[in-house]
Amino acid sequence: MSTVLSNGLAAQKVTPEVILDNIAKAKKSFVLSKEAAGEAVARAYLVWTDTMSPKAHVDSINWMNEEITKRNAAIDQHNKEEKELREKAKRFVEGRLKEDNWLNSSPETEAERDELAKEKARLKSLNAMSPEEWTARRKVRVDAREGASKFIKVVKFVFDFDSPSDSSLTSRYATVLEWVDAKFGNELINDLVEITEAIKAAGGFENALNMQRGNKPEDEQAIKDREAIAKAIAEQAKAAVQSAAAKATFEMKIKNAPEGIVLVLGRYIDGKVEVVGEMPLASDRLNKVVSDFNDEDLLPTNDQVEFIARVLALGQLVDEGRTSNITEDGLQAGKKELERRMLTLVPSEKTGLELVVSARFADASVVIKAVPNLGRIDLGTVELPMMMPWKQSNDLGKKLEDPSKRRLLDVMPEYNEEEYSWIVSNSALIAIGSDNAEESFSFEALDNEPNMPLDVDIFKPQFAVNTSIEDLGNLYHVCLTTWKDTKDGTKNDKHMTLTFKDNEMTYEFPGKPSHTLPCAGANPVGVTMKFRPRDVHDLVFLLTQQQVDQVKVAGDSSGLLCVSWADNVGHYSVYLPTATSDHKLEHRRVAPMRIEADISLAA
């Protein structure tokens, strides 16, 4: 075989030897790239050891702190200039620049006119950029949020990871550094090679990453499971598309329709869909395309699975990860616990149990309460509050996150007087006889637990009104989207206020226009409640995702707002604490969960 290339490779002949040589070099480069990543981690670990670890000399610590301060000052200056540039571009396009600005001048020379034209074109182009494009131009400081990996700062500093798009790389390298620290943290390192060889022995950077994350390299069964799940999702979707009633029918010439399915491109104008043409759909892409089809009416989820998934999704409102004042051993000098988001089952006379998502090891948090619709769901009963271990709860949340995968799952309770578990089964894995077809998620009784998760302690509302999801959606898009990219409510020390009076709810924030939406239910006295902006953003955003038309809003001016609603599988209540003057969550109406007992006061 001999072929002549017509591109920039100088008309090189393509022979088997050339191809094999390229393959060999590609493999060598791949190996070298993995080894290079291992060496990068090793050297970053040495930098951390020398400048940030407990072993570091004070002079090295001070040097690193000074360098980080200088780096952050440069980043702050860059972001300030970007903000000024964005404002300048906007003022230029809107014609709001001062009259004496150079851009309003009339240059005399051709060179000056060309320069002015180029600057005007640049500003117009900048003004046309989206908020996401402006965000991508910003730089990220060399710092780390509370509770983050101790290696985040050194990774950002050493590798110049200062772009928002670098967050994944930062996390990956920090995680591998944690793996290295677990192996060498208490050892005397004599040579860099000791670390690089350990990473190589583990199978390289990716394997070390997976091991630290608690993931094992995918085995043969895991591969079969993944393929079976993907196939089942696609087959479900194809069956639904092929059997569903048509929403509209019209004649159209189609070039390809694998298995009778077509993909068309259209536009939405004035409430009508206008079909423009056919989108190519190759047979080998059919499964991938239809797997993204998600219609709850045509592809329903098991009710019990859906109820639990909705509760866990609401649970994302509960913050976690901050360092608490509670220690693991109860001693003042002990290692401090991190605030954790917990799922708890609480006894209920009416429904057998109630699901509660709230924080543990915290003074205050959002509290989610949900009870199942007994006409559709049977999760059994519990006699005492029972809590799912934190890791299991996180694993369950991930398992139920994807709607298409949820359709393959079923949840059955398994319980007696002392134990309670959810057995989650996967129909696709059952069909292939996989050992992973069922997974058990257990709960632990809280009768002897000194650190209980939080619950609503007292709630005495002064008002209760109804408001529509449509009006809340307008509030979100008009007033709240600006808080979407902030990490938490501490980004701004100003409070957001919600005032409920007569038949209205009014949103206010300093320096911004107010927004009023109608409410059903008179409240003549008027109650104003203060919140952290990001808390309200997250709550309203999740409310707009619910499959209901309206929600009930009730407020206790001593520190707690409750939003509740019911859908086809359950009833949900979200309790959001108000904000304190120092921008923390008010804790007066929440407290550690208590175990209730029937006590007779008769003589």
Side-chain angles (χ1 to χ4, degrees):
M1 180 184 78
S2 179
T3 305
V4 178
L5 295 178
S6 60
N7 57 19
L9 293 178
Q12 172 187 331
K13 283 188 177 181
V14 177
T15 65
E17 290 75 20
V18 170
I19 295 171
L20 289 172
D21 183 55
N22 281 330
I23 291 173
K25 288 177 178 177
K27 288 180 177 178
K28 182 178 180 181
S29 296
F30 178 67
V31 171
L32 288 174
S33 71
K34 292 199 292 185
E35 291 179 356
E39 182 177 343
V41 167
R43 293 193 180 279
Y45 186 71
L46 295 184
V47 172
W48 178 83
T49 302
D50 292 341
T51 62
M52 294 183 176
S53 74
K55 304 173 186 176
H57 189 276
V58 65
D59 290 343
S60 298
I61 294 173
N62 290 338
W63 177 87
M64 176 59 88
N65 288 338
E66 290 173 3
E67 291 299 309
I68 289 177
T69 299
K70 286 191 285 186
R71 179 83 62 85
N72 282 338
I75 289 171
D76 290 344
Q77 181 62 30
H78 167 85
N79 291 339
K80 179 183 177 183
E81 291 171 358
E82 284 291 298
K83 182 179 179 181
E84 292 172 349
L85 179 61
R86 185 178 185 180
E87 292 172 352
K88 179 181 178 182
K90 189 171 187 288
R91 288 198 307 272
F92 167 69
V93 171
E94 293 175 353
R96 295 189 294 108
L97 290 177
K98 293 181 179 179
E99 290 185 11
D100 60 352
N101 190 286
W102 170 66
L103 290 163
N104 292 325
S105 64
S106 300
E108 296 180 359
T109 68
E110 188 66 30
E112 289 175 339
R113 285 192 290 272
D114 286 345
E115 185 181 358
L116 182 62
K118 287 178 181 178
E119 179 62 8
K120 287 183 176 180
R122 184 177 79 95
L123 291 176
K124 286 182 180 179
S125 176
L126 289 170
N127 187 67
M129 290 198 316
S130 67
E132 292 76 16
E133 289 174 312
W134 279 108
T135 298
R137 289 169 61 102
R138 289 178 58 83
K139 290 189 176 182
V140 178
R141 288 168 56 89
V142 182
D143 56 17
R145 61 177 174 79
E146 191 175 6
S149 168
K150 62 185 178 183
F151 296 106
I152 290 290
K153 290 176 72 171
V154 75
V155 168
K156 287 183 176 180
F157 181 81
V158 169
F159 299 118
D160 292 329
F161 288 162
D162 58 8
S163 168
S165 62
D166 290 332
S167 60
S168 177
L169 279 172
T170 302
S171 174
R172 287 162 59 83
Y173 272 84
T175 302
V176 178
L177 281 168
E178 290 171 5
W179 182 86
V180 171
D181 190 52
K183 283 190 167 296
F184 294 96
N186 297 317
E187 303 290 332
L188 180 63
I189 303 171
N190 296 308
D191 197 300
L192 179 82
V193 176
E194 294 177 21
I195 302 176
T196 56
E197 288 299 317
I199 295 173
K200 192 184 297 183
F205 181 96
E206 291 296 331
N207 274 10
L209 175 68
N210 282 325
M211 283 189 280
Q212 185 61 27
R213 285 175 171 172
N215 302 327
K216 295 179 180 178
E218 200 171 33
D219 58 22
E220 187 176 344
Q221 184 61 59
I223 294 172
K224 289 180 179 178
D225 290 352
R226 176 166 49 78
E227 291 174 347
I229 290 171
K231 182 180 178 182
I233 290 170
E235 292 302 322
Q236 270 191 351
K238 285 190 288 187
V241 171
Q242 290 163 340
S243 63
K247 295 184 182 297
T249 303
F250 52 90
E251 291 185 4
M252 180 176 174
K253 288 185 179 181
I254 297 294
K255 292 182 180 179
N256 64 336
E259 299 185 41
I261 295 174
V262 298
L263 188 64
V264 295
L265 189 66
R267 55 179 173 254
Y268 184 71
I269 299 177
D270 296 331
K272 295 181 180 180
V273 176
E274 299 178 349
V275 175
V276 175
E278 177 188 2
M279 283 283 287
L281 181 59
S283 298
D284 58 353
R285 289 192 62 244
L286 176 62
N287 282 5
K288 175 65 178 70
V289 171
V290 298
S291 294
D292 293 332
F293 179 63
N294 186 31
D295 186 307
E296 290 188 7
D297 294 328
L298 299 178
L299 292 163
T301 307
N302 173 280
D303 285 343
Q304 304 204 147
V305 172
E306 191 62 30
F307 173 66
I308 295 168
R310 291 176 188 180
V311 174
L312 293 178
L314 290 171
Q316 297 302 308
L317 293 170
V318 179
D319 285 338
E320 66 173 349
R322 292 187 179 87
T323 303
S324 73
N325 294 320
I326 300 170
T327 57
E328 289 182 354
D329 53 13
L331 301 176
Q332 188 173 358
K335 183 180 178 181
K336 291 186 176 181
E337 297 276 13
L338 297 179
E339 294 180 6
R340 294 297 192 193
R341 181 188 304 126
M342 307 304 297
L343 171 63
T344 310
L345 303 181
V346 178
S348 170
E349 289 184 9
K350 292 183 178 179
T351 60
L353 53 75
E354 177 182 58
L355 277 63
V356 178
V357 183
S358 61
R360 188 181 180 209
F361 308 121
D363 295 324
S365 82
V366 173
V367 177
I368 315 293
K369 289 173 171 282
V371 293
N373 177 351
L374 293 183
R376 305 181 66 147
I377 293 173
D378 181 12
L379 291 175
T381 61
V382 294
E383 301 298 324
L384 292 170
M386 306 191 81
M387 180 176 69
M388 184 178 287
W390 177 76
K391 187 178 185 308
Q392 283 202 50
S393 179
N394 269 11
D395 291 344
L396 178 61
K398 292 175 183 176
K399 199 175 191 72
L400 303 185
E401 198 172 34
D402 186 335
S404 58
K405 292 180 180 177
R406 278 207 302 272
R407 297 197 296 266
L408 306 176
L409 303 180
D410 191 7
V411 174
M412 291 298 294
E414 191 174 87
Y415 57 97
N416 53 42
E417 292 182 358
E418 298 179 355
E419 297 179 351
Y420 183 100
S421 301
W422 284 338
I423 309 301
V424 180
S425 57
N426 186 306
S427 59
L429 302 188
I430 291 173
I432 65 170
S434 171
D435 293 338
N436 303 316
E438 289 188 350
E439 191 171 357
S440 177
F441 294 85
S442 60
F443 290 80
E444 300 171 349
L446 290 175
D447 49 341
N448 294 313
E449 176 54 57
N451 297 305
M452 300 286 278
L454 294 175
D455 198 358
V456 175
D457 188 32
I458 301 171
F459 183 59
K460 296 182 177 180
Q462 284 84 47
F463 68 89
V465 297
N466 293 324
T467 189
S468 73
I469 292 295
E470 182 180 359
D471 287 331
L472 288 172
N474 290 335
L475 171 66
Y476 179 81
H477 291 294
V478 173
C479 303
L480 302 178
T481 52
T482 184
W483 304 102
K484 181 179 180 180
D485 297 322
T486 60
K487 293 183 179 178
D488 53 46
T490 61
K491 276 275 187 176
N492 195 304
D493 58 3
K494 296 177 182 178
H495 290 132
M496 179 182 290
T497 63
L498 297 178
T499 300
F500 299 84
K501 186 172 177 158
D502 298 327
N503 296 312
E504 295 179 336
M505 178 176 79
T506 301
Y507 155 93
E508 292 180 293
F509 186 80
K512 301 288 184 180
S514 63
H515 184 85
T516 298
L517 55 153
C519 295
N523 180 35
V525 177
V527 175
T528 297
M529 308 179 77
K530 295 181 178 181
F531 299 94
R532 301 187 307 189
R534 182 61 195 256
D535 294 336
V536 176
H537 168 279
D538 293 350
L539 172 59
V540 175
F541 175 75
L542 275 178
L543 291 176
T544 62
Q545 309 304 303
Q546 305 309 307
Q547 303 299 312
V548 293
D549 294 327
Q550 65 176 14
V551 294
K552 181 178 181 179
V553 183
D556 181 339
S557 59
S558 291
L560 205 58
L561 182 78
C562 175
V563 183
S564 57
W565 66 96
D567 59 23
N568 60 325
V569 292
H571 183 278
Y572 316 86
S573 298
V574 177
Y575 293 86
L576 173 63
T578 54
T580 62
S581 58
D582 56 353
H583 226 68
K584 295 180 180 179
L585 289 177
E586 177 59 65
H587 64 270
R588 285 185 293 178
R589 292 310 200 204
V590 293
M593 195 175 286
R594 290 191 292 267
I595 297 178
E596 303 292 342
D598 291 328
I599 300 174
S600 174
L601 299 180

